[in-house]
Amino acid sequence: MRYGISVLTLAYLSVFAIQPAKADAVYTYTGKPFTIVSAPYSTTDFVSGQFTLATALAPNLPLTSLTNIDSFSFSDGVQTLGLSTPLALQTIQVSTDASGNIASWSIFLGVSTSHYISTQDTPNVTADAGSLTSTQQADNDGTPGVWRSSASA
């Protein structure tokens, strides 16, 4: 063959190398330090986490439960709960502003009602919390953290 690129090479490139790039939308939360704690939590711990969607959130979205989450992981400084954690309770709700940024949210990830991570900033509640048991808990009321979004390839 004298054509430089074989038919087999072209077939390989068309199947494997020339794929459209998939850009996922990644939303990352960083909370403020806990103000009320019991061991093993400390006032340097805080809620942080992220979730990934196949596409960015729409602008002006009312508080809506997200069901199309590709992945998620949240930590309270002591434990991390994510997609691979067996959760008895899971709520991830967000609303967005005119630019598609998260404006309010309610996230609860619970192994049980006393073993969980939560973050909320809604008209009625603003709080981050973590709990291992009914006596091992941490809380921060009234001072929400911040969200940022990015695209990943």
Side-chain angles (χ1 to χ4, degrees), residues 34 37-45 76-79 130-133 135-138:
F34 293 131
V37 298
S38 60
Y41 292 98
S42 76
T43 55
T44 61
D45 293 323
D76 60 11
V78 173
Q79 63 181 326
S131 177
L132 294 175
T133 68
T135 60
Q136 297 173 304
Q137 301 178 336

Side-chain angles (χ1 to χ4, degrees), residues 15-82:
V15 171
F16 297 105
I18 307 172
Q19 295 291 325
K22 180 183 176 197
D24 292 331
V26 180
Y27 295 87
T28 304
Y29 178 74
T30 305
K32 305 287 185 184
F34 293 131
T35 54
I36 302 168
V37 298
S38 60
Y41 292 98
S42 76
T43 55
T44 61
D45 293 323
F46 56 92
V47 172
S48 63
Q50 70 176 26
F51 62 85
T52 304
L53 305 173
T55 59
L57 293 166
N60 300 314
L61 186 69
L63 194 62
T64 303
S65 292
L66 301 180
T67 57
N68 58 340
I69 299 169
D70 292 341
S71 67
F72 67 87
S73 179
F74 281 81
S75 174
D76 60 11
V78 173
Q79 63 181 326
T80 300
L81 303 177

Side-chain angles (χ1 to χ4, degrees), residues 44-135:
T44 61
D45 293 323
F46 56 92
V47 172
S48 63
Q50 70 176 26
F51 62 85
T52 304
L53 305 173
T55 59
L57 293 166
N60 300 314
L61 186 69
L63 194 62
T64 303
S65 292
L66 301 180
T67 57
N68 58 340
I69 299 169
D70 292 341
S71 67
F72 67 87
S73 179
F74 281 81
S75 174
D76 60 11
V78 173
Q79 63 181 326
T80 300
L81 303 177
L83 196 58
S84 62
T85 308
L87 298 173
L89 307 160
Q90 175 184 327
T91 300
I92 299 179
Q93 298 177 318
V94 299
S95 73
T96 60
D97 62 17
S99 299
N101 299 312
I102 294 177
S104 66
W105 62 91
S106 178
I107 297 173
F108 186 93
L109 305 173
V111 175
S112 69
T113 56
S114 62
H115 183 181
Y116 61 84
I117 297 172
S118 71
T119 177
Q120 283 185 273
D121 188 15
T122 63
N124 297 326
V125 178
T126 299
D128 287 352
S131 177
L132 294 175
T133 68
S134 60
T135 60

